[in-house]
Amino acid sequence: MLKGQEITVLGGGIGGLAAAAALAMRGAKVTVLEQAPAIREVGAGLQISPNGVAVLDAMGLGATARARSVASKAVVLKDGVSGRDVIRLDFEKLKPGREFLMFHRADLIDILAEAARAQGVTIETGAKVTRVDVGQNSTLVEIEGQPTREAHFVVGAEGLHSLMYRALNVPRDPVFTGQVAWRALVPAEGDEAAEATIWMGPGRHMVSYPLRGGQILNIVAVQERSGWVAEGWNHDDDPANLRKAFAMYAPEARALLERVETVNLWGLFRHPVAEQWHKGNSVILGDAAHPTLPFMAQGAVMALEDAWVLAECLSVSGIEEGPALYQARRRHRVINVVEAANRNASNYHYASPALKFVGHNALRLAGRFASARVLGRFDWVYEHDVTRA
Ligand SMILES: Cc1cc2nc3c(=O)[nH]c(=O)nc-3n(C[C@H](O)[C@H](O)[C@H](O)COP(=O)(O)OP(=O)(O)OC[C@H]3O[C@@H](n4cnc5c(N)ncnc54)[C@H](O)[C@@H]3O)c2cc1C
């Protein structure tokens, strides 16, 4: 049903490029409008869980994705202050075949952009959309320095500050979580295991994992704070502030932070999931529809799932009926994932030594007797395969 259908995608991030490629695979004639002068990504890591890997596989990108990422073998929770292991969840032992791929974001963007181009997608860079006017059968798209275009079908994938979101919904009212986060990349020493480590601590935690064949390490560090920093994740900070916030951590963790040369800091906000994902011949996906806290590592994965389901719904039900079916298939699942991330927000923190004792011992016990159950709590997220639904 999509053969020759013209579709304009606003935003060339993970969601926009995945949607462009998936729609073009089904015959659509797709143009991506990206504001940046080139398709590139900031330096940061991204974990793609099995439900996201399923989408990459279905798009025929599995082999490239595996070659350009590190497959995580386990997640290890440590007491950040003592450096002692609290629980180790071994993916290979517990769930054979379950793959968590750890990417440099730039590599995943590159893979998706290549896939889109190979399907004939036109990617226009330096095309900043300044206004959208959604009608019943077409949408007017204003682009900085260019004549206004009339688009037949528009996918809003412009992330957190989406114009298309605002054309479809009342403005968002984000709530500061009382947490800020730093992210940084540091050179690896070469002997780091292919696993994610979560360093839990009082009112703070830190996550680290290797990227690019183990040459670099990705660090995300979260601290509870009453004051907040502006939203958006490209605000530079002094690495000394990060080191100071984790000064009570074990030498192994501090040694990682000593290697940080540049760091970004941002405030973490909760956002409601969009009520309305479609209107006329326009839809939204990814962060445009549902920005999430990073505590389930599902933002990009949900964007991949959206992209696949959107392409399938439009292809099976057409551009009139498909958008409503797309929202019906996605919204409930996304709400559950966003709420799980909200609940996870302070799971790795403890307010007092007594709470730490109780919490860590409960985790150790769970790890010894019921590791599968600990990991299985999230089967509903990781084992869901939108490409088979
Ligand atoms: C520190 C951190 C760690 C994370 N870790 C993970 C993880 O491990 N796993 C995971 O699944 N998710 C993770 N996420 C979430 C994930 O990064 C996002 O959910 C994901 O990038 C959303 O993709 P998107 O395409 O919807 O939006 P974006 O990535 O924001 O892309 C939007 C694109 O639209 C373009 N754009 C914006 N406005 C316009 C305009 N007006 N005109 C034209 N173009 C425009 C932008 O330049 C950009 O290229 C993390 C997020 C953060 C901040």
Side-chain angles (χ1 to χ4, degrees):
M1 265 183 156
L2 281 181
K3 195 101 199 112
Q5 172 67 50
E6 286 186 16
I7 297 184
T8 305
V9 176
L10 314 184
I14 288 163
L17 291 171
L23 289 161
M25 275 167 62
R26 289 168 169 82
K29 197 165 168 288
V30 186
T31 303
V32 175
L33 303 176
E34 166 55 46
Q35 66 180 0
I39 291 289
R40 58 178 156 65
E41 254 296 333
V42 290
L46 207 53
Q47 298 180 69
I48 298 296
S49 53
N51 47 318
V53 177
V55 175
L56 296 173
D57 277 334
M59 289 174 72
L61 304 175
T64 322
R66 285 175 185 82
R68 295 185 65 179
S69 60
V70 174
S72 179
K73 293 192 166 48
V75 57
V76 183
L77 273 71
K78 283 179 186 279
D79 178 349
V81 178
S82 71
R84 273 183 67 202
D85 281 9
V86 174
I87 178 174
R88 183 192 170 81
L89 300 169
D90 193 329
F91 297 142
E92 286 175 331
K93 232 187 277 165
L94 297 175
K95 291 270 175 185
R98 185 186 258 195
E99 286 173 296
F100 287 75
L101 302 181
M102 303 182 290
F103 286 93
H104 193 296
R105 289 177 73 97
D107 295 337
L108 183 56
I109 286 282
D110 203 37
I111 291 168
L112 293 169
E114 274 305 303
R117 288 195 184 100
Q119 295 292 337
V121 172
T122 305
I123 302 177
E124 294 183 29
T125 51
K128 180 176 174 141
V129 177
T130 50
R131 188 162 174 266
V132 288
D133 190 356
V134 179
Q136 199 47 42
N137 299 313
S138 67
T139 292
L140 295 179
V141 179
E142 285 184 19
I143 306 166
E144 202 168 73
Q146 296 189 26
T148 300
R149 298 187 198 179
E150 186 176 3
H152 297 116
F153 192 93
V154 179
V155 178
E158 333 95 292
L160 188 60
H161 304 292
S162 167
L163 293 170
M164 188 57 88
Y165 167 87
R166 277 180 261 158
L168 270 50
N169 291 276
V170 293
R172 289 193 172 105
D173 198 5
V175 179
F176 180 56
T177 58
Q179 296 179 321
V180 297
W182 290 268
R183 67 178 168 80
L185 295 179
V186 298
E189 295 192 315
D191 55 356
E192 289 89 352
E195 55 193 31
T197 305
I198 302 174
W199 310 77
M200 304 179 290
R204 71 211 69 206
H205 77 274
M206 184 170 111
V207 181
S208 60
Y209 54 84
L211 307 172
R212 288 201 169 146
Q215 292 166 29
I216 44 181
L217 284 180
N218 184 59
I219 297 174
V220 177
V222 175
Q223 184 192 20
E224 290 170 12
R225 266 199 200 172
S226 48
W228 57 273
V229 195
E231 202 171 10
W233 41 301
N234 285 317
H235 308 285
D236 293 335
D237 194 29
D238 185 340
N241 294 333
L242 168 61
R243 288 193 265 273
K244 195 167 148 212
F246 288 81
M248 89 281 273
Y249 263 40
E252 201 188 334
R254 281 188 281 121
L256 271 183
L257 299 181
E258 279 306 319
R259 285 185 249 156
V260 174
E261 287 180 1
T262 57
V263 68
N264 295 87
L265 173 69
W266 77 104
L268 297 177
F269 288 77
R270 275 196 201 126
H271 298 263
V273 171
E275 291 282 340
Q276 196 59 38
W277 292 36
H278 67 97
K279 181 180 168 191
N281 285 353
S282 292
V283 296
I284 45 176
L285 60 67
D287 276 11
H290 46 75
T292 176
L293 292 174
F295 303 119
M296 286 287 289
Q298 285 294 305
V301 175
M302 286 299 112
L304 289 173
E305 287 191 2
D306 287 350
W308 180 270
V309 174
L310 175 67
E312 194 174 81
C313 291
L314 296 186
S315 157
V316 171
S317 303
I319 59 166
E320 273 90 33
E321 308 294 327
L325 187 62
Y326 157 67
Q327 169 166 346
R329 274 189 60 188
R330 294 300 299 152
R331 191 164 178 273
H332 186 61
R333 170 162 171 80
V334 166
I335 287 174
N336 287 339
V337 170
V338 169
E339 285 176 355
N342 292 345
R343 282 194 300 275
N344 243 2
S346 55
N347 270 0
Y348 307 128
H349 304 179
Y350 49 82
S352 70
L355 285 177
K356 166 185 154 179
F357 181 79
V358 173
H360 285 195
N361 279 330
L363 273 173
R364 277 197 188 97
L365 266 178
R368 203 165 307 147
F369 298 113
S371 291
R373 197 164 336 132
V374 174
L375 209 59
R377 273 197 312 145
F378 295 116
D379 278 355
W380 64 274
V381 180
Y382 303 141
E383 300 211 334
H384 185 86
D385 182 349
V386 291
T387 71
R388 288 166 189 239

